[in-house]
Amino acid sequence: MGKLMQSSKFLLWLSLALLSLGAVLVLLPLAIVVLTSLSDVGSAENPGKFTLAFYREAWQRGNFLLAFANSTLVALAVTGFQMITSALAGYALARLRFRGRQAVLLIVLTTLIIPFQLLVIPIFMVLKWGDLINTYGALILPTAVNGFGIFLLRQYFLTIPVELEEAAALDGANPWQILLQVILPCAKPALVTLFLFTFIGEWNDLFKPLVFTTRPELKTVQLALAEFQEQFTSSWSLMMAAVVISTVPVVVLFLIGQRQFIRGIAATGIKN
């Protein structure tokens, strides 16, 4: 018994040591970026002096106010569309019985293995046909529906007891009321998970703005950051300040929703 306890303690300390090492390896690059952005590494007089001047300069030179507004609009619009379409399709695939349901699910899963870059030419042609190039529609519509979100919510809906829906139906609720008033409130962790995945993915997307837009007024954060890094390659502090500026919103958003995010990820693989 004593040997077993000692072995358990050893495994616990080993796990803690490995987790701590992993945390250091993950956080070290972030710490270097933040420290570089706060110190004038190119100064011969005060190389270790901390200052916020680089943040103010990067914000002004990179015109990040407009980029933040565009990225926020696009990310929120795409996230809203995906949450609506994923909830409707996920509920249909999880609860409704109709011919070809498994085939539809297979098609949804197939879309997950097709890189977006392979579809860029037909998407570009469709957007051009609809006169949507160089508009917000070109940044929103190509990713308004996503197979991952449909599959994520479908899996979570399967974990919700059917008895809740049956009880609501006995009380006279129709399918729309069941979805809006019973299913979705119970699926809050999965919805938060989908929101975080989608918003962060759209915020960090460089491909769509680079391919589908050329107008400066449609510039997003990642496109502004890429152009900023090309212009100020000689100033590491200025570049790192711009990187931190572009990263802070998604980090704050993730910290706010991390508890629901973990619950959503943990439950999506469980099926009653």
Side-chain angles (χ1 to χ4, degrees), residues 2-244:
K3 291 183 178 180
L4 183 60
M5 292 182 63
Q6 290 180 355
S7 177
S8 300
K9 289 182 178 179
F10 173 76
L11 291 176
L12 176 61
W13 283 106
L14 180 61
S15 300
L16 290 175
L18 292 176
L19 289 174
S20 300
L21 178 61
V24 170
L25 293 177
V26 170
L27 295 176
L28 183 59
L30 180 61
I32 293 175
V33 169
V34 174
L35 291 176
T36 304
S37 67
L38 292 172
S39 59
D40 192 355
V41 295
S43 173
E45 299 178 358
N46 299 304
K49 182 181 179 181
F50 289 98
T51 177
L52 295 175
F54 293 108
Y55 286 92
R56 292 191 294 269
E57 186 177 355
W59 179 265
Q60 294 172 357
R61 292 195 177 187
N63 194 18
F64 280 105
L65 180 60
L66 176 62
F68 266 61
N70 288 333
S71 287
T72 302
L73 174 62
V74 171
L76 288 177
V78 172
T79 302
F81 277 121
Q82 284 201 21
M83 293 185 71
I84 293 172
T85 56
S86 297
L88 294 175
Y91 180 72
L93 292 173
R95 288 292 193 259
L96 303 184
R97 298 292 184 267
F98 57 91
R99 181 175 297 180
R101 186 180 65 159
Q102 293 301 321
V104 173
L105 178 60
L106 182 61
I107 293 173
V108 170
L109 294 176
T110 302
T111 63
L112 300 179
I113 64 176
I114 302 176
F116 182 80
Q117 289 77 4
L118 294 181
L119 303 175
V120 65
I121 295 179
I123 291 176
F124 187 91
M125 294 175 64
V126 171
L127 293 175
K128 187 176 181 180
W129 174 78
D131 198 21
L132 293 173
I133 298 296
N134 278 322
T135 66
Y136 285 109
L139 300 176
I140 296 172
L141 294 179
T143 50
V145 181
N146 185 269
F148 170 77
I150 296 173
F151 181 71
L152 177 72
L153 293 189
R154 183 254 184 190
Q155 291 300 104
Y156 197 92
F157 290 159
L158 291 175
T159 68
I160 299 175
V162 181
E163 291 76 10
L164 292 176
E165 301 172 57
E166 294 174 347
L170 290 176
D171 290 337
N174 58 47
W176 284 104
Q177 291 173 323
I178 292 175
L179 174 62
L180 296 176
Q181 300 177 16
V182 178
I183 299 298
L184 293 184
C186 293
K188 183 180 178 182
L191 293 173
V192 173
T193 301
L194 178 59
F195 180 91
L196 290 175
F197 266 122
T198 307
F199 188 93
I200 294 174
E202 290 299 316
W203 184 274
N204 292 330
D205 182 37
L206 174 63
F207 191 76
K208 283 190 302 180
L210 192 62
V211 175
F212 300 141
T213 63
T214 57
R215 292 165 54 191
E217 56 268 28
L218 293 177
K219 186 183 303 182
T220 60
V221 167
Q222 297 306 318
L223 190 55
L225 180 62
E227 294 179 355
F228 187 90
Q229 291 176 335
E230 290 180 359
Q231 296 175 10
F232 301 98
T233 54
S234 59
S235 177
W236 283 96
S237 299
L238 204 57
M239 283 196 299
M240 294 303 103
V243 170
V244 174

